[in-house]
Amino acid sequence: MIILDGSIVTVAMPAMQRDLNFTPTGLSWVVNAYLIAFGSLLLLAGRLGDLLGRKRLFLAGTAVFTAASLLAGLATSPAVLLAARFLQGVGSAMAAAVGLGILVTLFTEPRERARAIGVFSFTGAAGASIGQVLGGVLTDALDWHWIFFINLPIGAAVLALAVPALPADRGLGLRAGADAWGALLITGGLMLAIYGVVNIDAYGAGSWRASGLIVAGLVLVGAFVVRQARARTPLMPLRILRSRSVVGANVTQVLTLAAMFAFQVLAALYMQQVLRYSALETGLAMLPAAVMIGAVSLGVSARLAARFGERRVLLAGLVLLAGALGYLARVPVQGAYVPDLLPVMLLISGGGLVLPALAGLGMSAASEEDAGLASGLFNTTQQIGMALGVAVLSTLAATRTDSLVADGSSREAALTGGYRLAFTVGAGLIAAAFVVALLVLRRPTPEPTSQARTADEHVTAA
């Protein structure tokens, strides 16, 4: 529901602008208000799940998101819609932050955990694919209000199923991490940094406003880390950062999702602005990519991870993604779907290998006490990567387009040149992610066989 909402909104934004008289700058806040609330609260929400109970926070977040969706659907002014989108971000952070934490505490055996994470990744791909198509259908057939109303039956079903299905957990109690100053530092720091990132396109890549906000946010995040090292009851115990797998997976994720999410946005813009596809045609054209990611993550990734290890599966998936973006970097002005775009949609299946492997590695050091925190950290770097990728690559594409127009190129040729540059940089980000994964992530240590464990026990007993 959370990922469906993100993709469904982008398709309906022109209709919202017409009905509510959004300015072009104000319209961007339909996305930004959600991203700022979501990204800045994930880490705090993940830790609160460990302290108050992950089931409790998941249910509360789902209820907040569903209620905010009703408010957004009933909105008759930009202010009401933006407030509802901010509340949706709050609810999303509460529910999403503890999702992986719930999974890794329910499924402790490696093979079962890999299958569960594969299903988790599949639901994300399904939400993305359904959202793009459903957004076009609902907006064209009814109106944009229904892209929010669709969340009401989904939210009600989630609550009805989650109450009996999820095991109750009491949590550690607030006293185990009652660090109010730490909570203010990390939330304020992430909010400032994400605010600066999402406004790079508006302010310009070299603007002192965007750079100043990002630097100020990073200073607060640094102050948070220093405080956590000294606090008696830290909000985020720094032991979670001692794992090379956790740190390497999160850094790899920032680079990978910066490229993948920018691909999703910029490829859609290329189809609409250069090839003149409609919103529905664009959603259908992107559908094979989401279907391939979902099919691979659900049907293949767990078996490959069990046989070859998550590190090797991750590296193989990154090679496929680099090939997809490298192929896309040559798109022509008069492009055709089958020769120029369909191969890319098929190669993007590498995401079905990358995403579950990253989730498994990112949660590999999570104990029962830290599962929510590890989940919140993983989701935070995910959102930072997505926001950073769209902001930076969109700015690069726009700058290149303006330069080509100034040199006398046609509008379509200039747009295509800008998108080519962005896709080339995206391929470079994937290559950097491959290097990080290769050098930082350790090769998995093989588990001892049952006979070896029995022999060790006899030696210990002797």
Side-chain angles (χ1 to χ4, degrees), residues 19-22 71-82 144-145:
D19 285 0
L20 300 182
N21 296 317
F22 267 106
L71 179 63
L74 296 173
T76 56
S77 68
V80 174
L81 181 58
L82 295 182
W144 63 264
H145 299 273

Side-chain angles (χ1 to χ4, degrees), residues 34-98:
Y34 176 85
L35 281 177
I36 289 171
F38 187 32
S40 61
L41 292 172
L42 278 166
L43 193 62
L44 177 60
R47 187 55 175 165
L48 287 177
D50 293 329
L51 301 177
L52 300 176
R54 287 179 283 274
K55 178 179 181 177
R56 185 180 302 171
L57 205 72
F58 179 83
L59 294 175
T62 303
V64 170
F65 182 88
T66 306
S69 297
L70 175 61
L71 179 63
L74 296 173
T76 56
S77 68
V80 174
L81 181 58
L82 295 182
R85 288 290 288 162
F86 187 88
L87 287 175
Q88 277 190 313
V90 173
S92 295
M94 295 167 66
V98 295

Side-chain angles (χ1 to χ4, degrees), residues 149-427:
F149 290 147
I150 195 68
N151 291 329
L152 303 183
I154 301 175
V158 169
L159 291 170
L161 291 170
V163 170
L166 296 181
D169 56 323
R170 297 184 61 183
L172 303 172
L174 281 177
R175 290 184 179 180
D179 182 14
W181 282 109
L184 289 173
L185 285 171
I186 190 61
T187 304
L190 289 173
M191 193 169 288
L192 281 176
I194 294 172
Y195 182 87
V197 167
V198 298
N199 281 287
I200 287 176
D201 194 21
Y203 294 151
S207 168
W208 65 267
R209 291 184 180 180
S211 302
L213 288 167
I214 294 171
V215 170
L218 292 176
V219 168
L220 290 181
V221 172
F224 166 76
V225 173
V226 172
R227 177 169 177 81
Q228 298 313 287
R230 299 176 179 177
R232 245 178 115 179
T233 55
L235 181 72
M236 186 184 82
L238 297 182
R239 60 178 176 269
I240 196 167
L241 300 179
R242 294 173 188 161
S243 168
R244 289 181 58 152
S245 293
V246 170
V247 174
N250 279 279
V251 173
T252 302
Q253 177 170 241
V254 169
L255 296 168
T256 302
L257 288 185
M260 285 186 68
F261 195 66
F263 150 77
Q264 181 179 337
V265 173
L266 296 177
L269 289 174
Y270 166 74
M271 286 185 265
Q272 290 181 340
Q273 295 182 348
V274 178
L275 303 185
R276 303 300 180 187
Y277 285 14
S278 68
L280 181 57
E281 289 171 335
T282 301
L284 292 172
M286 297 286 287
L287 187 59
V291 170
M292 290 298 296
I293 291 174
V296 172
S297 62
L298 183 63
V300 179
S301 63
R303 283 178 287 180
L304 291 178
R307 182 170 181 180
F308 300 108
E310 290 167 331
R311 178 177 178 270
R312 290 180 178 176
V313 171
L314 172 61
L315 293 173
L318 289 173
V319 170
L320 291 175
L321 291 180
L325 289 172
Y327 190 88
L328 199 57
R330 48 157 296 280
V331 287
V333 179
Q334 302 294 332
Y337 182 73
V338 172
D340 298 313
L341 294 175
L342 184 58
V344 175
M345 303 304 167
L346 300 179
L347 286 171
I348 287 292
S349 61
L353 300 177
V354 168
L355 299 177
L358 282 175
L361 291 164
M363 298 297 294
S364 60
S367 63
E368 176 74 25
E369 295 80 13
D370 298 332
L373 174 61
S375 178
L377 176 64
F378 188 79
N379 280 281
T380 299
T381 58
Q382 184 180 77
Q383 292 303 311
I384 289 173
M386 291 164 63
L388 192 62
V390 171
V392 173
L393 296 190
S394 296
T395 301
L396 287 175
T399 302
R400 177 62 175 163
T401 296
D402 292 342
S403 174
L404 291 173
V405 168
D407 290 341
S409 297
S410 67
R411 185 65 181 169
E412 288 76 12
L415 284 168
T416 304
Y419 295 140
R420 284 175 182 166
L421 174 62
F423 295 138
T424 301
V425 175

